[in-house]
Amino acid sequence: MPELPEVETVRQGLIPALVGHRIDAAELRRGDLRRPFPPALAAHLTGRTVTGIRRRAKYLLADLDNGQVLIVHLGMSGSIRIERDGTDIAPGGFHHPRGRPGAHDHVILRLDDGTRLVYNDPRRFGLMELLPAAELEQHPLFRHLGLEPLSSAFGGVALARCLARRKTSIKAALLDQRLIAGVGNIYACEALWAAGISPRRQAGALVRQDGKPAVAATRLAAALRAVLEAAVAAGGSSLRDHRRTDGSPGAFQHRFSVYDREGQPCPKPGCRGTVRRIVQGGRSTFYCPDCQR
DNA sequence: CCGCGGGCCTGAGAGC
DNA sequence: TGCTCTCAGGCCCGCG
């Protein structure tokens, strides 16, 4: 669920509430997620001050004052909300009974200013883990992560380098976190539509014999960056579970061109096509067969 | 090494 | 109203 733009939206919401603040109390209400929380998580967080919040791929990273880093992943259905007494009804959001944990509130942190940070994950596909910051790059979850698509290093040339000789479809390649980190099902579909590239094309076919990007790869790199940036600016996409930290939904779902729009007309000006849904690698792909080639 | 399918969970929505 | 079925934004594992 949360892809790069949703995680980035959460990160930006957490910064003002969390950075420079001490965790006065931590409660682990349920730890049996798909990848269980460390049993001592609450004890290790208590008393720590958060010095910064980073994002890598779809992971949130909270740096602590003792050199440790808290890794947080939101899985398919996770969210983090900030509660301050009296302000827990967000514009367009939902109501949380003040101070009373809801279903699937697995971790609650109380900060030195009385703010509560609540980690909620109905499907329990998320994770939290604590480790020395210096070991992050070598951690199994991080060791094989590919390029950040919003970094300055990312572009047509970098994209071509990771697609070269790949036999898999370009859609599956975009979802492969070892190649590009942070793209999920929604933004893979949207970027391919914006670039006019069929999701069924072989990834390696976007690279020329000499290893340079074909025109399509250059277009795809630019489209991916543009769609991710627009989604971040819109606060991400809320199909169901994604919320900003104030409880309000993102707005990018109103701007989907193909995702979840099977049977609807292709929005590309001049295109008479109809959005189709196919299954690739067990996941839905939405695209326009007329203008995506 | 690569690519694919299954499994992990809960909840919403469709169809009967 | 209620049951059953399908599907969902992610990722790990094991198989060929």
PDB file of all heavy atoms in Angstrom, chain A residues 80-100:
ATOM      1  N   ILE A  80       0.663   5.956  10.546  1.00  0.00           N
ATOM      2  CA  ILE A  80       1.116   6.542  11.802  1.00  0.00           C
ATOM      3  C   ILE A  80       0.359   7.840  11.990  1.00  0.00           C
ATOM      4  O   ILE A  80       0.325   8.672  11.081  1.00  0.00           O
ATOM      5  CB  ILE A  80       2.630   6.833  11.786  1.00  0.00           C
ATOM      6  CG1 ILE A  80       3.420   5.531  11.619  1.00  0.00           C
ATOM      7  CG2 ILE A  80       3.043   7.557  13.069  1.00  0.00           C
ATOM      8  CD1 ILE A  80       4.925   5.753  11.460  1.00  0.00           C
ATOM      9  N   ARG A  81      -0.264   7.993  13.128  1.00  0.00           N
ATOM     10  CA  ARG A  81      -0.982   9.247  13.358  1.00  0.00           C
ATOM     11  C   ARG A  81      -0.452   9.933  14.609  1.00  0.00           C
ATOM     12  O   ARG A  81       0.046   9.276  15.525  1.00  0.00           O
ATOM     13  CB  ARG A  81      -2.485   9.008  13.453  1.00  0.00           C
ATOM     14  CG  ARG A  81      -2.926   8.189  14.631  1.00  0.00           C
ATOM     15  CD  ARG A  81      -4.456   8.027  14.663  1.00  0.00           C
ATOM     16  NE  ARG A  81      -4.883   7.499  15.957  1.00  0.00           N
ATOM     17  CZ  ARG A  81      -5.021   6.205  16.229  1.00  0.00           C
ATOM     18  NH1 ARG A  81      -4.761   5.303  15.305  1.00  0.00           N
ATOM     19  NH2 ARG A  81      -5.399   5.817  17.427  1.00  0.00           N
ATOM     20  N   ILE A  82      -0.544  11.233  14.586  1.00  0.00           N
ATOM     21  CA  ILE A  82      -0.099  12.044  15.712  1.00  0.00           C
ATOM     22  C   ILE A  82      -1.331  12.559  16.412  1.00  0.00           C
ATOM     23  O   ILE A  82      -2.206  13.165  15.784  1.00  0.00           O
ATOM     24  CB  ILE A  82       0.769  13.217  15.229  1.00  0.00           C
ATOM     25  CG1 ILE A  82       2.060  12.683  14.605  1.00  0.00           C
ATOM     26  CG2 ILE A  82       1.063  14.169  16.370  1.00  0.00           C
ATOM     27  CD1 ILE A  82       2.803  13.718  13.798  1.00  0.00           C
ATOM     28  N   GLU A  83      -1.407  12.312  17.700  1.00  0.00           N
ATOM     29  CA  GLU A  83      -2.559  12.772  18.469  1.00  0.00           C
ATOM     30  C   GLU A  83      -2.121  13.792  19.505  1.00  0.00           C
ATOM     31  O   GLU A  83      -1.194  13.540  20.279  1.00  0.00           O
ATOM     32  CB  GLU A  83      -3.233  11.596  19.191  1.00  0.00           C
ATOM     33  CG  GLU A  83      -3.877  10.588  18.256  1.00  0.00           C
ATOM     34  CD  GLU A  83      -4.577   9.469  19.016  1.00  0.00           C
ATOM     35  OE1 GLU A  83      -4.401   9.367  20.252  1.00  0.00           O
ATOM     36  OE2 GLU A  83      -5.287   8.692  18.370  1.00  0.00           O
ATOM     37  N   ARG A  84      -2.795  14.940  19.456  1.00  0.00           N
ATOM     38  CA  ARG A  84      -2.646  15.905  20.539  1.00  0.00           C
ATOM     39  C   ARG A  84      -4.046  16.102  21.084  1.00  0.00           C
ATOM     40  O   ARG A  84      -4.992  16.198  20.309  1.00  0.00           O
ATOM     41  CB  ARG A  84      -2.100  17.240  20.028  1.00  0.00           C
ATOM     42  CG  ARG A  84      -0.681  17.125  19.524  1.00  0.00           C
ATOM     43  CD  ARG A  84      -0.171  18.489  19.068  1.00  0.00           C
ATOM     44  NE  ARG A  84       1.148  18.345  18.483  1.00  0.00           N
ATOM     45  CZ  ARG A  84       1.385  18.062  17.203  1.00  0.00           C
ATOM     46  NH1 ARG A  84       0.367  17.925  16.377  1.00  0.00           N
ATOM     47  NH2 ARG A  84       2.614  17.942  16.764  1.00  0.00           N
ATOM     48  N   ASP A  85      -4.183  16.150  22.360  1.00  0.00           N
ATOM     49  CA  ASP A  85      -5.523  16.238  22.927  1.00  0.00           C
ATOM     50  C   ASP A  85      -6.282  17.408  22.330  1.00  0.00           C
ATOM     51  O   ASP A  85      -5.786  18.526  22.280  1.00  0.00           O
ATOM     52  CB  ASP A  85      -5.451  16.373  24.451  1.00  0.00           C
ATOM     53  CG  ASP A  85      -5.043  15.038  25.065  1.00  0.00           C
ATOM     54  OD1 ASP A  85      -5.304  13.996  24.425  1.00  0.00           O
ATOM     55  OD2 ASP A  85      -4.440  15.043  26.144  1.00  0.00           O
ATOM     56  N   GLY A  86      -7.473  17.119  21.843  1.00  0.00           N
ATOM     57  CA  GLY A  86      -8.332  18.171  21.307  1.00  0.00           C
ATOM     58  C   GLY A  86      -8.189  18.399  19.818  1.00  0.00           C
ATOM     59  O   GLY A  86      -8.972  19.103  19.232  1.00  0.00           O
ATOM     60  N   THR A  87      -7.192  17.787  19.200  1.00  0.00           N
ATOM     61  CA  THR A  87      -7.000  18.021  17.759  1.00  0.00           C
ATOM     62  C   THR A  87      -6.981  16.715  16.984  1.00  0.00           C
ATOM     63  O   THR A  87      -6.323  16.596  15.985  1.00  0.00           O
ATOM     64  CB  THR A  87      -5.679  18.750  17.485  1.00  0.00           C
ATOM     65  OG1 THR A  87      -4.607  17.909  17.940  1.00  0.00           O
ATOM     66  CG2 THR A  87      -5.617  20.065  18.184  1.00  0.00           C
ATOM     67  N   ASP A  88      -7.727  15.741  17.462  1.00  0.00           N
ATOM     68  CA  ASP A  88      -7.620  14.435  16.816  1.00  0.00           C
ATOM     69  C   ASP A  88      -8.726  14.182  15.793  1.00  0.00           C
ATOM     70  O   ASP A  88      -8.919  13.085  15.337  1.00  0.00           O
ATOM     71  CB  ASP A  88      -7.577  13.299  17.854  1.00  0.00           C
ATOM     72  CG  ASP A  88      -8.674  13.439  18.886  1.00  0.00           C
ATOM     73  OD1 ASP A  88      -9.384  14.452  18.835  1.00  0.00           O
ATOM     74  OD2 ASP A  88      -8.796  12.545  19.722  1.00  0.00           O
ATOM     75  N   ILE A  89      -9.452  15.238  15.410  1.00  0.00           N
ATOM     76  CA  ILE A  89     -10.339  15.090  14.268  1.00  0.00           C
ATOM     77  C   ILE A  89      -9.740  15.900  13.125  1.00  0.00           C
ATOM     78  O   ILE A  89      -9.707  17.123  13.163  1.00  0.00           O
ATOM     79  CB  ILE A  89     -11.765  15.582  14.581  1.00  0.00           C
ATOM     80  CG1 ILE A  89     -12.328  14.803  15.762  1.00  0.00           C
ATOM     81  CG2 ILE A  89     -12.647  15.398  13.363  1.00  0.00           C
ATOM     82  CD1 ILE A  89     -13.676  15.305  16.221  1.00  0.00           C
ATOM     83  N   ALA A  90      -9.242  15.210  12.137  1.00  0.00           N
ATOM     84  CA  ALA A  90      -8.554  15.884  11.046  1.00  0.00           C
ATOM     85  C   ALA A  90      -9.548  16.292   9.977  1.00  0.00           C
ATOM     86  O   ALA A  90     -10.582  15.661   9.815  1.00  0.00           O
ATOM     87  CB  ALA A  90      -7.510  14.953  10.442  1.00  0.00           C
ATOM     88  N   PRO A  91      -9.209  17.336   9.237  1.00  0.00           N
ATOM     89  CA  PRO A  91     -10.070  17.726   8.118  1.00  0.00           C
ATOM     90  C   PRO A  91     -10.159  16.584   7.115  1.00  0.00           C
ATOM     91  O   PRO A  91      -9.144  16.111   6.620  1.00  0.00           O
ATOM     92  CB  PRO A  91      -9.356  18.940   7.522  1.00  0.00           C
ATOM     93  CG  PRO A  91      -7.970  18.915   8.090  1.00  0.00           C
ATOM     94  CD  PRO A  91      -8.036  18.172   9.381  1.00  0.00           C
ATOM     95  N   GLY A  92     -11.332  16.121   6.840  1.00  0.00           N
ATOM     96  CA  GLY A  92     -11.498  15.008   5.903  1.00  0.00           C
ATOM     97  C   GLY A  92     -11.060  13.679   6.464  1.00  0.00           C
ATOM     98  O   GLY A  92     -11.059  12.669   5.788  1.00  0.00           O
ATOM     99  N   GLY A  93     -10.673  13.666   7.715  1.00  0.00           N
ATOM    100  CA  GLY A  93     -10.159  12.426   8.303  1.00  0.00           C
ATOM    101  C   GLY A  93     -11.203  11.715   9.116  1.00  0.00           C
ATOM    102  O   GLY A  93     -12.395  11.893   8.931  1.00  0.00           O
ATOM    103  N   PHE A  94     -10.741  10.908  10.039  1.00  0.00           N
ATOM    104  CA  PHE A  94     -11.671  10.129  10.844  1.00  0.00           C
ATOM    105  C   PHE A  94     -11.462  10.450  12.315  1.00  0.00           C
ATOM    106  O   PHE A  94     -10.464  11.036  12.712  1.00  0.00           O
ATOM    107  CB  PHE A  94     -11.485   8.635  10.596  1.00  0.00           C
ATOM    108  CG  PHE A  94     -10.052   8.212  10.548  1.00  0.00           C
ATOM    109  CD1 PHE A  94      -9.284   8.182  11.706  1.00  0.00           C
ATOM    110  CD2 PHE A  94      -9.471   7.872   9.342  1.00  0.00           C
ATOM    111  CE1 PHE A  94      -7.975   7.805  11.661  1.00  0.00           C
ATOM    112  CE2 PHE A  94      -8.140   7.488   9.297  1.00  0.00           C
ATOM    113  CZ  PHE A  94      -7.393   7.456  10.463  1.00  0.00           C
ATOM    114  N   HIS A  95     -12.402  10.097  13.098  1.00  0.00           N
ATOM    115  CA  HIS A  95     -12.341  10.416  14.519  1.00  0.00           C
ATOM    116  C   HIS A  95     -11.709   9.282  15.315  1.00  0.00           C
ATOM    117  O   HIS A  95     -12.023   8.123  15.111  1.00  0.00           O
ATOM    118  CB  HIS A  95     -13.743  10.663  15.047  1.00  0.00           C
ATOM    119  CG  HIS A  95     -13.772  10.923  16.522  1.00  0.00           C
ATOM    120  ND1 HIS A  95     -13.251  12.066  17.075  1.00  0.00           N
ATOM    121  CD2 HIS A  95     -14.232  10.180  17.541  1.00  0.00           C
ATOM    122  CE1 HIS A  95     -13.412  12.011  18.395  1.00  0.00           C
ATOM    123  NE2 HIS A  95     -13.994  10.884  18.701  1.00  0.00           N
ATOM    124  N   HIS A  96     -10.803   9.632  16.174  1.00  0.00           N
ATOM    125  CA  HIS A  96     -10.256   8.648  17.100  1.00  0.00           C
ATOM    126  C   HIS A  96     -10.622   9.055  18.508  1.00  0.00           C
ATOM    127  O   HIS A  96     -10.286  10.155  18.932  1.00  0.00           O
ATOM    128  CB  HIS A  96      -8.731   8.593  16.992  1.00  0.00           C
ATOM    129  CG  HIS A  96      -8.275   8.039  15.705  1.00  0.00           C
ATOM    130  ND1 HIS A  96      -8.462   6.735  15.357  1.00  0.00           N
ATOM    131  CD2 HIS A  96      -7.658   8.616  14.655  1.00  0.00           C
ATOM    132  CE1 HIS A  96      -7.965   6.530  14.151  1.00  0.00           C
ATOM    133  NE2 HIS A  96      -7.480   7.658  13.700  1.00  0.00           N
ATOM    134  N   PRO A  97     -11.290   8.191  19.224  1.00  0.00           N
ATOM    135  CA  PRO A  97     -11.614   8.519  20.605  1.00  0.00           C
ATOM    136  C   PRO A  97     -10.337   8.894  21.343  1.00  0.00           C
ATOM    137  O   PRO A  97      -9.378   8.139  21.335  1.00  0.00           O
ATOM    138  CB  PRO A  97     -12.203   7.222  21.150  1.00  0.00           C
ATOM    139  CG  PRO A  97     -12.544   6.398  19.958  1.00  0.00           C
ATOM    140  CD  PRO A  97     -11.662   6.846  18.839  1.00  0.00           C
ATOM    141  N   ARG A  98     -10.329  10.050  21.901  1.00  0.00           N
ATOM    142  CA  ARG A  98      -9.130  10.625  22.487  1.00  0.00           C
ATOM    143  C   ARG A  98      -8.487   9.705  23.523  1.00  0.00           C
ATOM    144  O   ARG A  98      -9.117   9.310  24.489  1.00  0.00           O
ATOM    145  CB  ARG A  98      -9.561  11.940  23.123  1.00  0.00           C
ATOM    146  CG  ARG A  98      -8.493  12.824  23.589  1.00  0.00           C
ATOM    147  CD  ARG A  98      -9.131  14.146  23.923  1.00  0.00           C
ATOM    148  NE  ARG A  98     -10.013  14.590  22.812  1.00  0.00           N
ATOM    149  CZ  ARG A  98     -10.857  15.589  22.918  1.00  0.00           C
ATOM    150  NH1 ARG A  98     -10.979  16.220  24.044  1.00  0.00           N
ATOM    151  NH2 ARG A  98     -11.590  15.932  21.894  1.00  0.00           N
ATOM    152  N   GLY A  99      -7.244   9.394  23.267  1.00  0.00           N
ATOM    153  CA  GLY A  99      -6.494   8.652  24.274  1.00  0.00           C
ATOM    154  C   GLY A  99      -6.851   7.190  24.380  1.00  0.00           C
ATOM    155  O   GLY A  99      -6.254   6.462  25.151  1.00  0.00           O
ATOM    156  N   ARG A 100      -7.830   6.758  23.609  1.00  0.00           N
ATOM    157  CA  ARG A 100      -8.217   5.346  23.689  1.00  0.00           C
ATOM    158  C   ARG A 100      -7.705   4.625  22.452  1.00  0.00           C
ATOM    159  O   ARG A 100      -8.058   5.013  21.334  1.00  0.00           O
ATOM    160  CB  ARG A 100      -9.744   5.241  23.764  1.00  0.00           C
ATOM    161  CG  ARG A 100     -10.225   4.031  24.531  1.00  0.00           C
ATOM    162  CD  ARG A 100     -11.672   4.236  24.957  1.00  0.00           C
ATOM    163  NE  ARG A 100     -11.870   5.508  25.666  1.00  0.00           N
ATOM    164  CZ  ARG A 100     -12.966   6.253  25.564  1.00  0.00           C
ATOM    165  NH1 ARG A 100     -13.947   5.900  24.780  1.00  0.00           N
ATOM    166  NH2 ARG A 100     -13.072   7.370  26.246  1.00  0.00           N
TER     167      ARG A 100
END
